[in-house]
């Protein structure tokens, strides 16, 4: 694959390339036209037609569609798209909206259906054929369109600007460092009066903020391991004790660290990643209920992923009935917590009261947009289905006293144009790593049931 122009790394100066953008690139990032360095961009008319279908609404797709159209309108400023295109600005290339073109006679029978994807591909091939000596590539996040382009001999690439490197994605699964420590030091950490050690006693280089550890006893690895976290504020590696939250106890070391992060008021932003059944949402919800007196409201939400670009308005029934399919997984976690207590217990009655008074609110993310979140414990489930821009939008709404927990599995994505490298949850872990207010835990072991864990490994 040829070198990609919008990759952050610098490239050798040479003749500018031409990139033809698919609709999904714009819907993913409406400022994408600013991220191709000094290379030139072509927008097929079919893309403009598709954007017209997305511009209405309050979701991220509508926001990006409107944002892009406004940006291009501002650039053109009453001018037409001449043969040379319109300049994107200093040190950038030009932009041109190209009318739709048919496939050349050689390829006219390659695709039978007259659809927008084929019109975009045909226009990209026309741009290539009419710019000899210039590298031309179609940029799309649609894997099927990439396959069709390759079949037609057209250079095609994914949008790489917001993709996290493989090494960093793999590193996010190794947030907990396992290490063997001298018995006397570990004894001091685990049973000393301070249950903390200055980092200099264990390492030569200062760890990043909230680095997590699982220490074993050197020479006696069969003894129980000790979990710890580096506190950048005190400069000490502190013991993480096993804690209980609203009847929920952690079942493994990662869960112990995750529950500690969710209960720690100094850590305002937490990311819990891992496969199905690892307890991500359950631990976050239990921690929120344990601290309900410290927050005005607990909100548990998730993005609504629908088929055929239809929102929940297409479902029958009233609002509550429409939302129930999306809320059921979150209610399952709440029921697990309620099952720890008798139905007549004060804890169970407290949950019912919080639901009735909407101090505990379970709602699709679409109904949270536009709110200012002050003194709220905010849990976003299935966050891997959010774009980096959506995650940023949510976090920037947090007010004083708010804590946010994002949970999800970056390998189980339902959005067609996101993957494990470009989704918002992966970006959150990569961009916020080392910040004092942020902690990330990757949970490995499934605890839902023995059958669930075996199925996850073997099927």
């Amino acid at each position: 694959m040829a070198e990609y122009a919008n990759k952050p790394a610098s490239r050798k100066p040479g003749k500018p390339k031409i990139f033809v953008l698919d609709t999904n690139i714009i819907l993913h990032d409406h400022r994408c036209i600013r991220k191709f360095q000094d290379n030139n961009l072509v927008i097929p008319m079919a893309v403009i037609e598709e954007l017209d279908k997305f511009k209405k609404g309050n979701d991220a797709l509508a926001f990006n569609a409107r944002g892009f159209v406004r940006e291009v309108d501002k650039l053109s400023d009453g001018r037409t798209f001449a043969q040379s295109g319109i300049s994107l600005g200093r040190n950038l290339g030009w932009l041109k909206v190209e009318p739709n073109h048919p496939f050349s006679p050689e390829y006219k029978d390659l695709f039978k259906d007259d659809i927008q994807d084929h019109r975009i591909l045909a226009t990209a091939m026309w741009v290539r054929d009419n710019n000899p000596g210039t590298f031309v590539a179609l940029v799309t996040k649609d894997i099927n369109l990439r396959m069709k382009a390759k079949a037609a001999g057209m250079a095609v690439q994914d949008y790489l600007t917001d993709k996290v490197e493989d090494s960093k994605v793999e590193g996010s699964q190794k947030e907990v460092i396992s290490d063997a420590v001298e018995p006397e030091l570990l004894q001091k950490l685990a049973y000393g009066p301070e249950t903390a050690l200055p980092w200099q006693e264990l390492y030569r280089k200062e760890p990043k903020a909230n680095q997590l550890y699982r220490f074993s006893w050197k020479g006696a690895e069969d003894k129980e391991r000790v979990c710890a976290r580096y506190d950048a504020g005190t400069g000490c590696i502190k013991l993480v004790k096993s804690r209980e939250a609203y009847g929920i106890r952690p079942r493994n070391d990662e869960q112990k660290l995750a529950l500690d992060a969710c209960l720690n008021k100094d850590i305002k932003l937490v990311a819990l990643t891992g496969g199905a059944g690892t307890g991500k949402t359950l631990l976050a919800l239990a921690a929120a209920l344990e601290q309900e007196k410290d927050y005005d409201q607990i909100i548990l939400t998730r993005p609504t992923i629908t088929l055929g670009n239809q929102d929940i308005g297409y479902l029958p029934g009233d609002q509550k009935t429409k939302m129930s399919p999306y809320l059921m997984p979150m209610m399952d976690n709440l029921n697990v917590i309620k099952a720890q207590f008798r139905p007549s217990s004060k804890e169970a009655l407290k949950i019912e009261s919080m639901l009735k008074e909407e101090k505990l609110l379970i709602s699709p993310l679409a109904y949270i947009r536009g709110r200012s979140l002050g003194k709220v414990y905010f849990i976003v489930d299935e966050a891997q289905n959010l774009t980096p821009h959506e995650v940023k939008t949510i976090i920037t709404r947090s007010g004083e006293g708010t804590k946010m927990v994002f949970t999800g599995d970056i390998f189980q994505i339902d959005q067609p144009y996101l993957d494990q490298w470009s989704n918002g949850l992966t970006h959150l872990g990569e961009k916020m790593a080392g910040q004092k207010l942020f902690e990330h835990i990757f949970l490995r072991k499934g605890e839902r049931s023995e059958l669930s864990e075996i199925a996850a490994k073997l099927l």
Side-chain angles (χ1 to χ4, degrees):
M1 182 179 286
E3 180 190 2
Y4 189 52
N6 73 335
K7 201 169 182 178
S10 60
R11 65 179 182 86
K12 295 180 180 179
K15 186 176 182 180
K17 304 170 184 177
I18 298 177
F19 292 97
V20 182
L21 303 188
D22 190 9
T23 314
N24 50 65
I25 303 300
I26 296 165
L27 294 176
H28 182 75
D29 178 8
H30 75 278
R31 293 190 59 81
C32 61
I33 58 176
R34 301 287 186 182
K35 299 174 182 177
F36 285 83
Q37 299 180 2
D38 61 343
N39 296 291
N40 303 317
L41 305 178
V42 171
I43 310 295
M45 187 62 71
V47 169
I48 304 298
E49 293 171 351
E50 281 196 304
L51 289 176
D52 195 51
K53 301 175 183 178
F54 286 95
K55 66 183 181 182
K56 296 180 181 179
N58 296 318
D59 60 9
L61 298 182
F63 172 86
N64 284 329
R66 291 192 297 267
F68 174 79
V69 172
R70 284 195 294 264
E71 182 84 4
V72 173
D73 184 60
K74 183 179 178 180
L75 283 170
S76 59
D77 193 24
R79 293 173 292 171
T80 60
F81 289 95
Q83 185 67 28
S84 58
I86 293 175
S87 173
L88 289 167
R90 185 179 180 184
N91 298 324
L92 298 174
W94 49 255
L95 171 71
K96 184 178 181 184
V97 175
E98 184 66 42
N100 295 334
H101 295 279
F103 284 108
S104 63
E106 181 183 358
Y107 294 101
K108 67 177 183 178
D109 295 325
L110 185 61
F111 304 110
K112 294 182 179 180
D113 296 331
D114 182 21
I115 59 176
Q116 295 290 54
D117 280 358
H118 296 165
R119 295 177 189 138
I120 293 169
L121 176 56
T123 301
M125 296 175 72
W126 182 92
V127 172
R128 178 198 62 188
D129 295 341
N130 284 269
N131 289 273
T134 301
F135 177 80
V136 179
L138 172 64
V139 184
T140 178
K141 298 188 76 65
D142 187 334
I143 297 176
N144 284 344
L145 182 54
R146 290 208 295 266
M147 294 295 292
K148 292 176 180 179
K150 291 175 183 177
M154 178 72 201
V156 61
Q157 299 174 357
D158 193 359
Y159 182 63
L160 301 180
T161 292
D162 60 358
K163 283 209 166 190
V164 177
E165 296 176 8
D166 278 331
S167 60
K168 293 183 179 179
V169 174
E170 293 170 1
S172 70
Q173 301 171 49
K174 302 174 183 176
E175 291 292 330
V176 183
I177 295 177
S178 297
D179 206 351
V181 178
E182 296 293 341
E184 57 272 17
L185 287 175
L186 202 49
Q187 182 79 16
K188 184 178 177 182
L189 173 64
Y191 304 110
E194 303 295 332
T195 59
L197 286 175
W199 66 265
Q200 294 89 342
E201 294 190 29
L202 290 170
Y203 299 103
R204 293 182 179 180
K205 183 180 179 180
E206 182 177 5
K208 67 179 182 181
N210 297 316
Q211 174 63 60
L212 302 174
Y213 298 94
R214 183 169 46 199
F215 293 124
S216 59
W217 302 76
K218 186 173 287 187
E221 281 76 10
D222 57 330
K223 292 186 66 175
E224 183 178 355
R225 293 187 176 184
V226 175
C227 293
R229 175 182 65 87
Y230 175 60
D231 186 336
T234 62
C236 291
I237 295 175
K238 293 187 173 182
L239 175 71
V240 172
K241 300 178 181 179
S242 184
R243 306 167 70 180
E244 179 180 321
Y246 225 80
I248 300 298
R249 289 180 175 272
R251 294 185 178 182
N252 57 54
D253 290 340
E254 281 84 9
Q255 286 194 355
K256 183 193 298 186
L257 293 165
L259 188 57
D260 177 75
C262 291
L263 290 170
N264 191 332
K265 294 181 177 60
D266 294 329
I267 299 175
K268 304 296 185 182
L269 181 62
V270 178
L272 303 181
T273 58
T278 52
K280 305 179 295 293
T281 309
L282 180 65
L283 292 169
L285 181 55
L289 292 171
E290 184 70 20
Q291 304 173 89
E292 56 90 13
K293 293 182 180 179
D294 300 323
Y295 298 93
D296 292 339
Q297 194 175 36
I298 297 169
I299 299 177
L300 181 59
T301 185
R302 67 187 325 208
T304 52
I305 307 301
T306 56
L307 298 177
N309 196 34
Q310 296 180 347
D311 61 26
I312 62 177
Y314 285 81
L315 296 174
D318 58 17
Q319 177 178 310
K320 185 176 181 180
T321 305
K322 292 173 187 288
M323 295 190 299
S324 60
Y326 304 104
L327 308 185
M328 193 60 67
M330 296 184 283
M331 286 301 300
D332 289 342
N333 283 285
L334 187 60
N335 289 332
V336 170
I337 295 175
K338 290 171 65 177
Q340 308 301 311
F341 309 100
R342 298 189 311 274
S344 59
S345 67
K346 65 177 183 180
E347 291 86 359
L349 293 175
K350 181 69 174 178
I351 291 176
E352 293 297 334
S353 174
M354 292 173 66
L355 284 169
K356 186 177 180 179
E357 297 171 4
E358 292 195 345
K359 180 168 184 179
L360 173 58
L361 180 63
I362 302 178
S363 174
L365 191 59
Y367 287 82
I368 307 298
R369 294 182 185 277
R371 292 190 56 178
S372 180
L373 304 171
K375 209 174 182 183
V376 170
Y377 199 110
F378 195 71
I379 303 170
V380 183
D381 195 24
E382 303 291 346
Q384 76 277 4
N385 288 316
L386 297 172
T387 66
H389 175 77
E390 288 175 311
V391 169
K392 179 180 178 179
T393 299
I394 294 168
I395 296 175
T396 53
R397 294 194 181 279
S398 62
E400 195 67 34
T402 288
K403 184 183 182 90
M404 291 192 167
V405 181
F406 289 78
T407 72
D409 179 3
I410 64 172
F411 300 105
Q412 296 291 330
I413 295 175
D414 301 311
Q415 286 281 25
Y417 303 127
L418 294 177
D419 54 35
Q420 67 192 70
W421 302 280
S422 62
N423 69 87
L425 189 56
T426 294
H427 267 254
L428 178 63
E430 194 267 333
K431 299 295 183 183
M432 296 295 289
Q435 296 296 315
K436 293 180 181 180
L437 298 178
F438 175 74
E439 186 170 329
H440 172 237
I441 304 95
F442 176 74
L443 294 97
R444 298 177 179 277
K445 187 177 180 183
E447 296 288 356
R448 183 169 289 164
S449 68
E450 183 180 2
L451 175 59
S452 174
E453 185 175 3
I454 292 173
K457 289 180 179 179
L458 301 182
L459 297 182

